[in-house]
Amino acid sequence: MIHAPHKLLAALFAVALSASLAPASSPVLGSVTPRGGQRGVDNVILFNGARLTDAVEILTYSPGFTVAKLEVVNDTQLKATVKIAADCRLGEHVFRVRTKTGVSEMRTFWVGNLPVVQEVEPNNDFAKPQPIPLNVTVHGVIDNEDVDYFVVECKKGQRLSAEIEGMRLGNTLFDPYIAILDSKRFELAASDDSPLLGQDGMVSIVVPADGKYVIQVRESAFGGNGGCAYRLHVGTFPRPLAVVPAGGKFGEEVELTFLGDPAGPFKQKVKLPAGPVEKYGVYAQDAGGVAPSPIPFRLSEFGNVVETEGNISHATATPFELPSAVNGVVSKPGEVDHYRFKGKKGQTYEVHCYARRLGSPLDSVMTIGYLNGGALVSNDDAIGPDSYFRFTVPEDKEYVLTITDHLHKGGPTYFYRVEFTPIQAEAVVGIPKVAQYSQERQAIVVPRGNRFATLVQVGRRDFGGPLVLSAEKLPPGVTWTSENMPANLDTIPVVFEAAPTAPVGALVTSLTAGHVDPKLSPLKSRFYQMAELILAPPGQSLYWKAEASQAVVAVTEEVPFKITLVEPKVPLVQNGSMNLKVVVERQPGYKAAITILPLWNPPGVSSAQSATIPEGATETTLTLNAAGNAEVRKWKTAVIGVATVGNGPVHVSSQMATLEVAAPFFTFAMERAASEQGKDTEIFCKIQQVAPFPGSAKIRLMGLPTKATAAELEITKDTKDLAFKVVVDKTTPPGQHRNLFCQAVVMLNSEPVVYNVGAAELRVDVPLPPKVNAPVATPLPVVAKPADPVKPPEKRLTRLEKLRLEQEEREKAAKGDTTEPEKKK
Amino acid sequence: MRTHIASLVCLAVLAITSDARAQEPPASLAVFPPEVNLSTSRSRQVFVVQAVYPDGITRDVTAEAKAALVNPAFAKLDKNVLTPVADGATELKVEFGGKALNVPVKVKDATVERPISFKLDVMPIFLRSGCNQGGCHGAARGKDGFRLSLFGFDADGDHFRLTREMNGRRINLALPRESLLLEKSQGKVPHTGGQKIKDGDEYSQNILRWLDAGAPLDPPTVAKPVALELYPKNAVLDGKGAAQQMVVRARYSDGTDRDVTALALFLSNNDTSAKISPAGVVTAGDRGEAFVMARFATFTVGSQVIVLPKGLQFTFPPVEERNYIDTLVNAKLKKLRIEPSGLCNDETFLRRVHLDVIGVLPTVEEYQRFMTNAAPNKRELLVDDLLGRKEFAELWVMKWAELLQIRSSNQVSYKATLLYYNWLQDKIARNAPVNEWVQELLGATGGTFKNPATNYYQNETDVLKVSENVAQVFMGMRIQCSQCHNHPFDRWTQDDYYSFAAFFAQIGRKGTDDPRETIVFNSGGGEVTHPLRGVVMKPKFLGGDTPDVAGKDRRVVMAQWLASADNPYFATNLANIVWAHFFGIGIIDQVDDVRISNPASNPELLAEMGKRFTSYKYDFKKLVRDICLSRTYQAATQANPSNEGDTRNFARAGLRRIKAETFLDCISQVTETKNKFPGLPQGARAVQIADGGVSTYFLTTFGRATRETVCSCEVKLEPTLSQSLHLLNGETTTQRIASGNLLGRRLADKATPEQVIEELYVRCLSRKPTPKEMSKLSAAVAAEPDKNKALGDLFWALLNSREFMFNH
């Protein structure tokens, strides 16, 4: 169902690499100039960035490009001569630059149908516009408050259209405004934004008289800067704004009606592709040429109905059958289009109104209700301004679907398409971003004889359960390791490994996910990757992005280090910690420091942000901590190593290693204790043994206040309780010390298992000052003495019992004050 | 010695005139109230007799007039107080100075006792005695542990606080005289506010009666005050010390009326001229005009009092009246015995009208053309010419942009700001009827880019603030006070406030394709709840009806009323805004502070302008034309002895500092230099700046509105030290003179110093130098070998002169 990935390797002309240039890595691609070119001819394109010295390929995601010549101008610039096929799809194409040591970010390039001419300044004066022939694409720039004027010669009755690519070029926040003016400066057509092209505009007129016509280009708020490049298509091409129907069945030939062209509606037959095509659109075409950009078009496996005229009530509703799609136009302000269908109880459909997503000005409001009855479900905005809901048929009856505009607008180009489709489970696979708004590590780049690790994320829609990942294809010599994705997770680590003999190269491939259970029906799955190209206020709003439906997997040249994760022989216990050991194997002479980054932590496990293997050293440890509720099971994970090779960073990974998270061997129930400064006390623990362990475990009381100490104790698998003698100094700060706990160290396979257990509090009081006027001060010690001999059955008293005892004694003493002294004396 | 004699002579003259007045028969006689209605046994009515003399002077002759009841069986007359005796009707006969007048007197329920009422009898005492003022118990947290609602907006709440909040403390029903309420107010126990009422007076008795009755809360059927009358409506007092008693009468919902002179609170807006005592006696002070007001319940009403010097002899000179403006201004001046200043000369008019209508100075060529034009109607032709220029629209777009707060912010992008500004500019440039575009603005729906008028609801998204802004900008009303309590100096209650806010409760906002754009629409849901009573308020026009809004966009309904003749404030408010632009002071001043206690200085003029504006179909240019062609606008600034103290009656033109933007444009114009503002091309004028957030040091220093609020006070015209220092030393003068290089070019063209001096004068001041100025200046320039420097100094001095800085 996904369009067969097509990759076109650039013809690898010998790239003369000067020996003086240092080996580069991690290429960076900034701007691409010009921003587009004409199909059917050779285009010279400059790629500007950094670390491009060892560039070998322009890696495209779509067909139609042949790199005839690739020259490295310097480390920051490449010059490519690219032949664009005559049948190359018009519009935006995504690509990357591959070097021997890395793969760049995604960038875009625009393909047009018309020959390119350059803007020539000064053209800022309406009286002195730049003359251009008809049917060209002007490459220009709008500087601050710049206004560009171009003049064309037209004949009466001819169509004159202009369309601009500004924001869509993905350079910077550039909101262009275009207009066609006559020689007397009257605006015949103007466009700032358009539903079809977003911030980019388009204008089209039928020329009223022979003469000169001026096309004006500016930023809509008189802004602009050197980055505001544009491609202005000027010609006689059709520029319709709507198409009906706005979708069709795979493989069929359909007759489309294009609306909104100044020359009037016209029909065109189109043979639709047999299977799904990403971002499919239809290009209006007639004797005047072909529209520079398409109208997005829905491809479907179901049939199509176009509205009948006057379907503005339940009685006149256009009938259709489920599942299929209806197509129409809200042609007048306030018009409500009606469609009727029979529903079978219990059937559920996804109901999507495609309007703004197809470039229609309609801000849809969609409802379904009983025929001649009230509405059951309605929606205004769900996906942008488009309406969507899921409809479960409540009973076997006839229903009516209505479509109108939220602001009661309407017009000949307010087209829409409503699709009813059965619910279909879908898994969308992607590589999560390492950093927000960044393209870092979004491509899989594996050095020969080394490894590369990434996380893979799967968005599950309308299904659950564990998943298995698969790659459509991988470069020769590349293998990958990954566990199945458990049902409760949506992200897992994957390690790619390239054999030492794997050839340096790259391909684009689809990564997909499927059910682990082979008995389940195959899952619809696709790969999706997005790069934010224009972010601007308000907030970090996304204005333009580059998208890809395939991942890039590349093999690059060897790097002089390889890291290994020393698999721990003991588990990471809940509430425990562990030092993961990472060792590096360096090639002779390679001494750089290596930063170790965790790739992924299992649920409930956290880790240090990073660890460093110092220059020349061979190992380090990365600390892991498990929460008390960390899921108990064996996980697979890896760590990433990053170091500078040449003049840029290189990322490699360790092998996939097992990390076990286990329950603790024993737990403690600890009692609270209280004491006075300078007075010792005890803290008691009742031990609950969970799993036997060999030998003895060391238990240390942690979290004591300063100047309070307790000796380390040992327990075995049979110990039931434990008492720490706490020595409280006279200077120990008074107060409630709440964070006392025990650290247990159990030795297993000669490795320590360290974890925290129990929780207690220690209250330290300031001793009461001796009473100034204490008549009973002397008799009391006398009272205490006779009690001494009664000690032998030393029962350990809890704090509460102690307090009770103390209280009893006080009460006794108080009584003794009045009555008992007689007896005692 | 001589002075002493002179003053004695004066005194004698005064005595004679005063006596003469007493003996002179009045032109007419009036008794207030014009009819007396007494109902229930405690009812009473005070009346006053006012004599009007042929010269307009009025006198309170109540004490001197003879009054008698035609049939004393029904009512009793004691001095000037009438009380009921028996049911029936009779007449009060009043005679003075040979004039007589009969006033109908009706008596009803003469023996019926009206039950004591908390709201009608007790609450007014709190207002009158100042108990519920903001500084006392009316403060938000009360005072000394006891709170009353501010100016009594919440009588039920006050009853609760008196009777229930502290059980058995504030009132004592067993021993009413020992209630803290009485003891405190009578000063019998320590009271921070001191003694407010006296034991045994009318107020104490009423409170006591209420306590004796068991401190009841009124039944819901109790009559409500529906109107308030203050008599006499106007008075012209002759000299310091003249007095006039005022009478206040309240009308109730059950059709009765009541003399509330003793319960009303009296205020004067000009104590120097006319002070009013708590008992309602106006005493004349210095010459001037005052508006004395009485406040009772939620009403404030006022009367006009003019105070003239004793025995003033005045004849109004024949003054040309070019249109209704002159007629109405002169009518007021006649009343005040003020003579208008003469007509300004052509040079002054040329400069004044250029600055006011198009915000630029006349060029040298325009000056020559106008000055040499011999047409008798050349001023009219000039006004028509200026009204057709694009600068006129730009100046008014700026003015409106201030009121509509056109400004970029985190919520409103610069693009939206620019589109909004251009939308407004288009409306004004095409002279679209103001009511139409205001309706379009206030009822706007759609995206802030696609329909820029919707930005009005994006600049301010708070429902209450939007309603306050609409009232302030389009009706001139500041209703903010009534958000929390009834407006202390106006008629607006909390009900009015929240009912008006209900029009803006259903504004929906949602995002769209462009993150900078918002769609504003009618969401059809959402209400405003009265904070005190917790009820949902129905949308009600401010001071108008409760329209049917079911199924409609409330804002559209509101906008259609607001910008129409149905709204009595719309046209007059716009007329006032326009007037204030041309005179520097509104007929109501400030223009956005329309309230009963801030009356128009010439209500007839304002009403007529509003009427004309409506009949012109809100054609803004016609209104401007009327003003500019009036003799009043073309008066000179020079005062004459009779109008030198007057600032509010347009007897002479005012001196007005030029607004920041226009001033900068003038400097750019005379120095031939260009401005560069962010978001505008090189050479743009300051009035063209679309975004209130954009400013320069110069504009900020000279008081450019930041457009953060709708207040007309944002534009600052007060002089500051930094303004002077900036003009003396800053880049705006010296550097512009240098970079414009006007002098260099003129000297290169072989112009003589005299020619350059003359041009500079005409450029900057729209006049030629006087012979004295010319002779001194040419001598000074001749003495300086560097002509460019000497002339540069002159140029600098002209730019720093007050004559340049002010429109006069």
Side-chain angles (χ1 to χ4, degrees), chain B residues 110 113 168 172 198 208 215 225 234 279 387-388 403 432 477 524 540 582 730 735 799:
Chain B
E113 171 95 4
N172 184 344
K198 290 196 184 90
L208 207 52
N234 43 52
L387 284 174
L403 297 174
M477 308 270 181
K540 180 175 175 291
F582 286 95
Q735 280 179 26
L799 295 184

Side-chain angles (χ1 to χ4, degrees), chain A residues 169 309 517 593 624 652 681 812:
Chain A
L169 297 181
E309 275 304 305
D517 186 349
L624 298 183
V652 299
T681 187
K812 267 189 219 160

Side-chain angles (χ1 to χ4, degrees), chain A residues 593-674:
Chain A
I594 295 157
T595 305
I596 303 298
L597 307 169
L599 170 63
W600 179 73
N601 291 318
V605 175
S606 60
S607 66
Q609 295 273 313
S610 67
T612 306
I613 301 176
E615 212 174 300
T618 58
E619 64 174 64
T620 188
T621 58
L622 188 72
T623 308
L624 298 183
N625 291 296
N629 60 356
E631 193 180 335
V632 171
R633 63 160 272 190
K634 282 187 178 168
W635 301 96
K636 291 276 186 194
T637 191
V639 292
I640 292 173
V642 52
T644 303
V645 177
N647 57 0
V650 165
H651 290 83
V652 299
S653 93
S654 72
Q655 85 288 14
M656 197 76 105
T658 304
L659 175 70
E660 183 182 0
V661 176
F665 297 102
F666 45 81
T667 59
F668 284 3
M670 295 171 75
E671 283 171 5
R672 293 182 212 183

Side-chain angles (χ1 to χ4, degrees), chain A residues 779-800:
Chain A
L780 270 177
V782 189
V783 182
K785 269 178 188 167
D788 274 356
V790 212
K791 275 226 161 167
E794 196 181 332
K795 191 199 172 254
R796 189 176 293 136
L797 298 181
T798 65
R799 175 72 187 145
L800 189 64

Side-chain angles (χ1 to χ4, degrees), chain A residues 520-553:
Chain A
L520 292 173
S521 56
L523 191 60
K524 184 180 167 190
S525 177
R526 62 187 168 94
F527 181 81
Y528 178 76
Q529 193 164 60
M530 184 269 280
E532 297 91 347
L533 295 185
I534 303 177
L535 291 163
Q540 287 278 63
S541 295
L542 180 59
Y543 285 80
W544 196 254
K545 62 192 176 199
E547 294 169 297
S549 58
Q550 286 153 313
V552 167
V553 184

Side-chain angles (χ1 to χ4, degrees), chain B residues 129-140:
Chain B
S129 312
C131 309
N132 56 19
Q133 284 178 27
C136 298
H137 299 291

Side-chain angles (χ1 to χ4, degrees), chain A residues 143-472:
Chain A
D143 275 311
N144 194 18
E145 291 154 16
D146 190 7
V147 182
D148 290 349
Y149 292 102
F150 303 96
V151 64
V152 287
E153 197 84 45
C154 293
K155 293 266 172 268
K156 183 180 176 175
Q158 200 175 20
R159 177 165 49 207
L160 174 59
S161 302
E163 177 181 325
I164 193 161
E165 282 149 18
M167 188 74 88
R168 289 181 289 167
L169 297 181
N171 288 0
T172 183
L173 184 79
F174 172 39
D175 183 353
Y177 171 96
I178 57 173
I180 300 178
L181 313 172
D182 68 10
S183 54
K184 296 189 195 77
R185 214 184 174 119
F186 280 106
E187 237 173 40
L188 301 179
S191 171
D192 176 359
D193 305 335
S194 59
L196 186 59
L197 308 178
Q199 284 82 10
D200 290 348
M202 54 192 175
V203 284
S204 187
I205 57 163
V206 171
V207 172
D210 290 7
K212 288 187 192 306
Y213 291 86
V214 173
I215 321 283
Q216 180 198 34
V217 181
R218 62 169 169 88
E219 207 274 338
S220 62
F222 294 101
N225 57 58
C228 293
Y230 63 84
R231 279 164 47 82
L232 173 72
H233 310 283
V234 180
T236 54
F237 51 81
R239 191 50 279 186
L241 306 170
V243 66
V244 178
K249 203 167 177 178
F250 292 125
E252 280 190 348
E253 191 184 51
V254 288
E255 190 182 54
L256 306 176
T257 308
F258 284 104
L259 303 165
D261 188 86
F266 61 95
K267 291 186 189 300
Q268 183 179 326
K269 281 198 171 142
V270 174
K271 169 94 173 132
L272 300 179
V277 174
E278 286 291 322
K279 293 187 163 183
Y280 184 74
V282 288
Y283 292 85
Q285 195 165 1
D286 68 5
V290 54
S293 54
I295 297 179
F297 193 82
R298 297 284 307 164
L299 295 171
S300 158
E301 54 187 298
F302 302 110
N304 235 356
V305 164
V306 176
E307 69 172 327
T308 45
E309 275 304 305
N311 57 338
I312 52 165
S313 67
H314 282 231
T316 54
T318 307
F320 71 103
E321 279 172 16
L322 299 182
S324 67
V326 301
N327 298 276
V329 177
V330 176
S331 53
K332 286 199 295 283
E335 181 175 293
V336 185
D337 284 355
H338 289 65
Y339 299 87
R340 61 195 277 182
F341 62 94
K342 285 199 178 86
K344 248 193 147 52
K345 182 177 175 173
Q347 283 176 333
T348 302
Y349 293 94
E350 295 263 88
V351 189
H352 272 279
C353 179
Y354 290 93
R356 193 64 54 84
R357 281 177 280 180
L358 305 180
S360 167
L362 182 75
D363 176 357
S364 65
V365 176
M366 176 168 79
T367 70
I368 290 180
Y370 289 114
L371 179 66
N372 300 321
L376 291 165
V377 54
S378 115
N379 180 258
D380 171 12
D381 299 342
I383 299 153
D386 283 353
S387 311
Y388 156 80
F389 46 67
R390 200 166 263 193
F391 178 61
T392 303
V393 181
E395 49 190 313
D396 289 5
K397 265 199 164 169
E398 272 207 85
Y399 297 88
V400 166
L401 163 81
T402 69
I403 304 292
T404 188
D405 185 85
H406 179 210
L407 302 179
H408 311 297
K409 292 184 178 173
T413 61
Y414 281 61
F415 72 110
Y416 61 88
R417 171 180 169 92
V418 179
E419 287 183 11
F420 282 71
T421 47
I423 287 160
Q424 189 176 18
E426 189 186 34
V428 180
V429 180
I431 296 174
K433 300 231 168 197
V434 175
Q436 204 182 15
Y437 310 133
S438 153
Q439 293 196 50
E440 188 187 338
R441 281 188 268 156
Q442 291 284 291
I444 296 156
V445 181
V446 200
R448 290 166 77 173
N450 217 316
R451 291 177 286 249
F452 180 90
T454 184
L455 293 179
V456 172
Q457 194 168 36
V458 182
R460 295 177 177 91
R461 194 171 150 80
D462 293 314
F463 75 98
L467 291 170
V468 58
L469 299 179
S470 61
E472 178 197 24

